[in-house]
């Protein structure tokens, strides 16, 4: 499900630019992905709770939800095709971030310490090294630029609210979301931030 979060995070930033690839690369720099990977690696090997979530994210069940999100919606596929015509494969960027976060199958890891700390604490550490405010501010500049291709991308995604909502109501996606809630992952808080960014009606999620 963290993979799903990654999809939402990328769309939620509303990346925009007259040059889709260069602006996406610029905004990803704000996310400090190599530093994030170091933090994530430490928690995976030292914390039982994070290790359990990490293992779940690599199951066939979680992968099924990831495939539904990234390829199962024809409206989102149309947007992906639009980006591809401009030299950007959105799935490539999403998979790159997923790999950095350890969300694609890697070698099994042995826990060095079974004393669990919380996923939320790990996320606080990750947010501390990232410049999310800078990324959002830069993205807002792109969105405000009428010549920006990323601004157009943001508007295209925002217009597909109902279609995207339907995708996230898919039973396979909901099962993964519910399991992550049981693990203590703040699924609902993340979704609320995405809805706020696009100005969507909260009553529909």
């Amino acid at each position: 499900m963290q993979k799903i979060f990654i999809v939402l995070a990328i769309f939620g930033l509303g990346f925009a630019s007259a040059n889709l690839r260069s602006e996406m690369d610029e905004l990803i720099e704000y996310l400090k992905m190599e530093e994030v990977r170091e933090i994530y690696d430490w928690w995976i090997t030292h914390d039982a709770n994070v290790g359990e979530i990490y293992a779940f994210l690599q199951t066939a069940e979680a992968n099924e939800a990831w495939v539904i999100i990234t390829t199962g919606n024809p409206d989102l596929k149309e947007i992906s095709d639009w980006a591809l015509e401009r030299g950007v494969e959105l799935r490539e960027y999403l998979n790159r971030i997923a790999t950095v976060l350890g969300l694609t199958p890697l070698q099994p890891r042995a826990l060095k310490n079974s004393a669990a700390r919380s996923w939320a604490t790990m996320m606080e550490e990750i947010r501390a090294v990232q410049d999310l405010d800078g990324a959002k501010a830069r993205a807002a500049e792109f969105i405000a630029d009428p010549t920006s291709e990323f601004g157009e991308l943001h508007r295209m995604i925002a217009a597909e609210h109902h279609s995207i909502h339907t995708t996230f109501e898919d039973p396979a996606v909901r099962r993964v979301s519910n399991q992550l809630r049981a693990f203590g992952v703040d699924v609902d808080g993340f979704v609320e931030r995405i809805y706020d960014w696009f100005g969507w009606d909260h009553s529909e999620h």
Side-chain angles (χ1 to χ4, degrees):
M1 183 64 181
Q2 183 69 8
K3 296 172 183 176
I4 296 171
F5 290 171
I6 292 167
V7 175
L8 289 171
I10 293 297
F11 286 171
L13 284 175
F15 292 141
S17 172
N19 184 323
L20 208 54
R21 176 169 289 276
S22 67
E23 296 297 344
M24 182 173 282
D25 287 342
E26 178 182 342
L27 289 167
I28 284 178
E29 287 297 315
Y30 287 95
L31 303 183
K32 309 293 184 184
M33 298 311 297
E34 291 304 322
E35 293 178 53
V36 168
R37 179 56 182 268
E38 290 179 6
I39 294 171
Y40 201 65
D41 279 349
W42 187 93
W43 280 83
I44 289 169
T45 56
H46 288 75
D47 184 272
N49 175 246
V50 173
E52 185 177 21
I53 295 171
Y54 173 85
F56 174 70
L57 292 171
Q58 296 185 68
T59 63
E61 182 179 8
N63 185 66
E64 180 185 1
W66 173 240
V67 170
I68 290 170
I69 292 297
T70 57
T71 65
N73 184 312
D75 295 315
L76 289 181
K77 184 179 184 305
E78 184 175 334
I79 293 172
S80 295
D81 290 345
W82 176 88
L84 188 59
E85 290 174 359
R86 287 151 181 80
V88 170
E89 185 176 355
L90 293 179
R91 188 181 173 99
E92 168 198 333
Y93 279 86
L94 301 178
N95 283 335
R96 189 204 317 174
I97 294 174
T99 298
V100 170
L101 288 173
L103 301 179
T104 53
L106 302 173
Q107 293 182 354
R109 301 170 183 272
L111 290 176
K112 297 177 181 176
N113 185 338
S114 61
R117 295 165 68 187
S118 74
W119 177 274
T121 303
M122 182 193 72
M123 293 306 298
E124 288 176 5
E125 286 189 22
I126 288 174
R127 285 191 291 268
V129 302
Q130 294 179 320
D131 184 6
L132 296 180
D133 288 340
K136 290 177 182 178
R138 188 70 175 119
E141 292 176 1
F142 299 149
I143 293 167
D145 181 355
T147 68
S148 165
E149 287 183 346
F150 250 141
E152 186 172 353
L153 177 64
H154 180 271
R155 289 186 289 275
M156 290 169 68
I157 294 170
E160 296 300 337
H161 171 208
H162 297 295
S163 177
I164 292 170
H165 176 76
T166 298
T167 297
F168 286 101
E169 289 297 308
D170 184 278
V173 176
R174 288 183 64 85
R175 282 195 297 271
V176 173
S177 299
N178 289 335
Q179 181 58 61
L180 284 167
R181 287 187 184 94
F183 281 134
V185 175
D186 185 16
V187 176
D188 298 313
F190 187 87
V191 172
E192 285 181 6
R193 288 190 289 274
I194 296 300
Y195 272 58
D196 285 341
W197 177 258
F198 286 111
W200 291 342
D201 184 354
H202 283 261
S203 67
E204 295 192 29
H205 77 80

